[in-house]
Amino acid sequence: MIIGLDMGGTNIDGVIVEKGKIIKTIKKPTNRENLFNSIWTALKELLSGYDNTKIERINLSTTVSTNAIVENKLSPVGMIIQPGPGLPYDFLACGDENVFISGYIDHRGEIIKDFNLFEIENAIKLFKEKNIKAYAVVTKFSIRNPSIEIKIKEILENEIPNSFVTMGHTISGKLNFPRRVYTSYLNSAVHSIFNEFLNNIKKSLEKEGINAPVFILKADGGTMNISTAEKKPVETILSGPAASLMGINAMLPTNEDAILLDIGGTTTDIFFLADGVPLFEPWGIRIGKYKTLIRAIYSVSIGLGGDSSICVRNGRIKIGPQREGVPYAFGGPKPTPTDAMITLELIDENAFSLTHENVKKAYEAMTLLGKELNLSAKDMAKLILSTMGDIIKNKVDELLHEINSRPVYTVKELLYGKKIKPKLINIIGGPSKVLAPVLEEKFNLPCYYPKNYSVANAVGAALARPTTEITMLVDTSKKTLSVPELGLYEKITGNYTLDKAKEKALELVKKSALSLGASIEEIEAEIVEESSFNMVRGFYTIGKNMRIKAQVKPGLIQ
């Protein structure tokens, strides 16, 4: 059995998958004040009546890191940044205390000027005064030579026991110094809250005698084991949308250009496929004000869901972006689209355990709104669903215009000259069945939803497999080979070839996937980028500079 749990803003969805079939599903309300208890209650109910020893793995999609960043509930972070000479660097300040140190490494990894120990000692004194326990150390071009970051980390850990330090070179092999700084900051800032969550999960599993490995979903649609997540919690931001996309692909596979939608209680997540392959963020996702190096599926969330609050302003309906509580029918403070669906008798009464009082309250909500526009309750409800369709259509059109005005990146490749022209819409989430005909009319495209549309994101979480990416840098004149993500720096011969480098990269990315918990049969390794340039000094070629990117791409276990 494989367990999938997806924590959304409104509900936690859970599934048990056995031999490729869904054998049980649940949907429980999310208690934002006690996220752990919400997950644990859902897990206990899901497993009731089943043999815990048959669990092969538990895949969990969680909003813990995302919520911490969006709500600014972050741990204080001390930043030590070595920007090198040249450009102004004040814009890099992102921590609670930011110390910019002298010294620098050049673009080939040569230490031109070492760091000043006195500056590090002053930084540590400042951090102690402020009682800061989380740090990030980022030096420019550290992916070419991490030695300064490693030395400073050792000093920090010796001087301040039980501290957590993120080193910039471990974040990604991509060359983008500002994104590296911000990603390192966020990794340290969410470490404490994320690891407290993980520790509670581990303790409770032990208490219940569940020995199955736990995997956490990443923003790229893949998973990683708990030990990796503890070191890189920033990788889990936006794991919820990633679970949604994997669920849609599992239940509604297609090889067409397509619009994918997950309409939940709080938000609607929007994705796109190019010839059936998900679009990707080429540099990394942006969360809040921070641009990061986190590899991720392209997704956009808007504040529109079944529980979005509704009001009338200046003679027009306004839906969302806030969710102010449960629907009016269930005692909430404001009318919602769910109230509209109940009024139009589009919701299964048994599935929602609707009482006569619930239906009466929903009708009352629509009547009150309708009075402001001189509409009957049912006409008001129809207008609300139509408005939801318009909001989604307008946002999708805006995104497609933006996407088609630049090169299109997928998880597999860069598609030169490709324009996304959707042929269909695939939709999941609680309101799917109700909104499918509305969206078909608005887009003039067929709209499909799967049988288990309300828990499809949990299915995506359950079936997602481990993914990883590495960047290999080879300099034959210096006779060095490095893979920053793995902390690998080794000597090579001067006649090292591109073919040999590619073979080595595939071998290393497979080993990396295994360390994340993948099994041999799950691993599909591929080279996604390769380049080789001659390095010339005077009139002579002195060596080659090679760059190879390899990945185990997102995919489904079954």
Side-chain angles (χ1 to χ4, degrees), residues 170-172 187 224 228-236 485:
T170 65
I171 291 296
S172 169
N187 194 60
M224 58 182 168
T228 306
E230 286 170 339
K231 297 170 193 167
K232 289 189 177 182
V234 73
E235 294 268 7
T236 68
E485 296 95 338

Side-chain angles (χ1 to χ4, degrees), residues 78-115:
M79 301 291 296
I80 296 179
I81 305 169
Q82 188 185 61
L87 297 172
Y89 50 76
D90 288 352
F91 73 97
L92 296 172
C94 52
D96 295 78
E97 293 294 338
N98 302 277
V99 178
F100 294 94
I101 62 173
S102 58
Y104 69 99
I105 297 168
D106 72 8
H107 68 284
R108 291 189 63 199
E110 296 288 347
I111 298 177
I112 306 303
K113 183 182 178 184
D114 210 342
F115 70 95

Side-chain angles (χ1 to χ4, degrees), residues 272-525:
F272 297 95
L273 300 181
D275 301 323
V277 181
L279 264 58
F280 237 56
E281 295 282 7
W283 297 106
I285 51 174
R286 177 176 186 146
I287 181 162
K289 62 183 179 180
Y290 301 107
K291 292 181 178 179
T292 77
L293 286 173
I294 300 302
R295 146 192 172 96
I297 289 161
Y298 175 91
S299 69
V300 173
S301 294
I302 57 174
L304 180 73
D307 293 352
S308 296
S309 62
I310 304 174
C311 63
V312 175
R313 285 187 187 166
N314 302 319
R316 300 186 68 177
I317 295 176
K318 184 175 186 297
I319 306 177
Q322 291 82 21
R323 174 188 182 273
E324 297 184 28
V326 297
Y328 195 84
F330 300 105
K334 292 281 183 75
T336 69
T338 299
D339 295 305
M341 296 174 203
I342 293 172
T343 299
L344 293 171
E345 300 176 9
L346 295 173
I347 283 184
D348 182 355
E349 292 191 21
N350 294 325
F352 276 78
S353 302
L354 291 178
T355 65
H356 175 71
E357 185 63 25
N358 297 144
V359 175
K360 183 181 172 184
K361 291 282 287 181
Y363 197 87
E364 179 187 326
M366 294 300 102
T367 301
L368 290 171
L369 279 177
K371 281 181 180 177
E372 298 189 54
L373 296 178
N374 294 318
L375 293 172
S376 69
K378 293 214 168 184
D379 284 343
M380 187 69 207
K382 289 174 185 175
L383 182 58
I384 286 168
L385 298 187
S386 178
T387 303
M388 287 184 80
D390 287 334
I391 293 170
I392 293 170
K393 174 72 162 59
N394 292 338
K395 188 63 181 181
V396 167
D397 287 348
E398 176 192 320
L399 294 174
L400 280 172
H401 177 74
E402 182 185 321
I403 289 166
N404 286 334
S405 65
R406 61 177 193 242
V408 172
Y409 286 84
T410 71
V411 66
K412 192 175 179 182
E413 59 194 331
L414 166 60
L415 302 175
Y416 292 99
K418 170 71 177 178
K419 302 294 181 190
I420 306 295
K421 296 177 181 177
K423 301 292 191 300
L424 56 94
I425 303 168
N426 285 338
I427 179 174
I428 62 169
S432 295
K433 187 175 180 180
V434 174
L435 288 176
V438 176
L439 293 170
E440 281 193 341
E441 182 183 337
K442 300 290 182 184
F443 283 87
N444 195 26
L445 290 172
C447 185
Y448 304 102
Y449 57 90
K451 180 183 175 183
N452 289 290
Y453 58 85
S454 66
V455 293
N457 42 12
V459 174
L463 298 183
R465 66 189 183 198
T467 58
T468 188
E469 177 188 59
I470 65 165
T471 305
M472 178 184 286
L473 306 164
V474 177
D475 185 333
T476 62
S477 72
K478 289 178 65 179
K479 299 180 180 176
T480 59
L481 179 151
S482 63
V483 181
E485 296 95 338
L486 304 180
L488 176 67
Y489 296 85
E490 62 184 36
K491 286 291 184 181
I492 56 168
T493 60
N495 59 358
Y496 207 80
T497 65
L498 181 61
D499 284 342
K500 196 168 183 180
K502 286 159 63 177
E503 185 182 329
K504 175 88 170 176
L506 287 172
E507 175 193 325
L508 290 172
V509 82
K510 287 176 184 175
K511 282 185 179 177
S512 177
L514 289 170
S515 73
L516 294 176
S519 56
I520 291 288
E521 61 272 15
E522 290 172 356
I523 299 174
E524 292 179 27

Side-chain angles (χ1 to χ4, degrees), residues 80 101 115 120 124 135-139 146-161 163-170 187-188 231:
I80 296 179
I101 62 173
F115 70 95
I120 306 303
I124 290 173
Y135 315 99
V137 182
V138 194
T139 69
S147 60
I148 290 178
E149 287 184 356
I150 292 169
K151 287 175 186 173
I152 294 174
K153 177 178 185 282
E154 289 172 352
I155 294 169
L156 278 167
E157 289 178 335
N158 285 333
E159 291 290 326
I160 309 174
S163 58
F164 177 78
V165 186
T166 300
M167 294 184 290
H169 75 275
T170 65
N187 194 60
S188 291
K231 297 170 193 167

